[in-house]
Amino acid sequence: GVTRRSILELAHGMDDVEVSEREVSMSELLKARDEGRLREAFGAGTAAVISPVKSILYKGEDITFPTGEDIGPLAKRMWDQLLGIQYGRIEHPWSVLVEDEESPAVASH
């Protein structure tokens, strides 16, 4: 969707983020956890914008992400940038600021 694409485009513009779109198997996820390479995970969508993943239950085992109850640093950066653009706090080609038009004066009788 649009939110996912927006996040990927923002990530491509970050010098310290390597972007790769591919499926990740559960065995690969477990290996990354065991090697200490598991950092964070989040989902994205129109209603939720960005939702951090605390853990994944797989074959009776919780695979917990080190961010715990909090949003991870990358997800937070994406959240801040995306909402900043949406609300006009961050200038970006995706957003166009619309000036408030003065309402005509209403005569009271």
Side-chain angles (χ1 to χ4, degrees):
V2 173
T3 305
R4 176 185 169 278
R5 190 181 76 234
S6 298
I7 289 168
L8 287 169
E9 286 184 28
L10 288 173
H12 278 289
M14 297 176 173
D15 292 334
D16 61 334
V17 175
E18 181 181 328
V19 180
S20 174
E21 293 180 73
R22 63 182 181 80
E23 290 185 14
V24 177
S25 68
M26 291 307 295
S27 61
E28 189 177 357
L29 190 68
L30 289 167
K31 183 177 179 186
R33 181 205 54 194
D34 294 345
E35 294 174 353
R37 296 183 295 113
L38 200 58
R39 298 286 184 253
E40 67 178 290
F42 58 87
T46 301
V49 185
I50 293 175
S51 295
V53 174
K54 175 184 170 185
S55 63
I56 296 173
L57 181 63
Y58 178 67
K59 293 187 176 181
E61 179 184 1
D62 265 331
I63 302 169
T64 305
F65 292 86
T67 54
E69 299 291 331
D70 298 322
I71 188 168
L74 180 59
K76 175 79 168 108
R77 280 175 64 192
M78 294 296 177
W79 171 273
D80 290 344
Q81 278 204 319
L82 199 54
L83 264 62
I85 292 166
Q86 289 175 344
Y87 286 97
R89 294 186 297 264
I90 297 174
E91 193 173 314
H92 195 277
W94 296 342
S95 63
V96 177
L97 294 179
V98 178
E99 298 290 327
D100 285 337
E101 292 182 27
E102 291 186 11
S103 301
V106 177
S108 60
H109 297 298

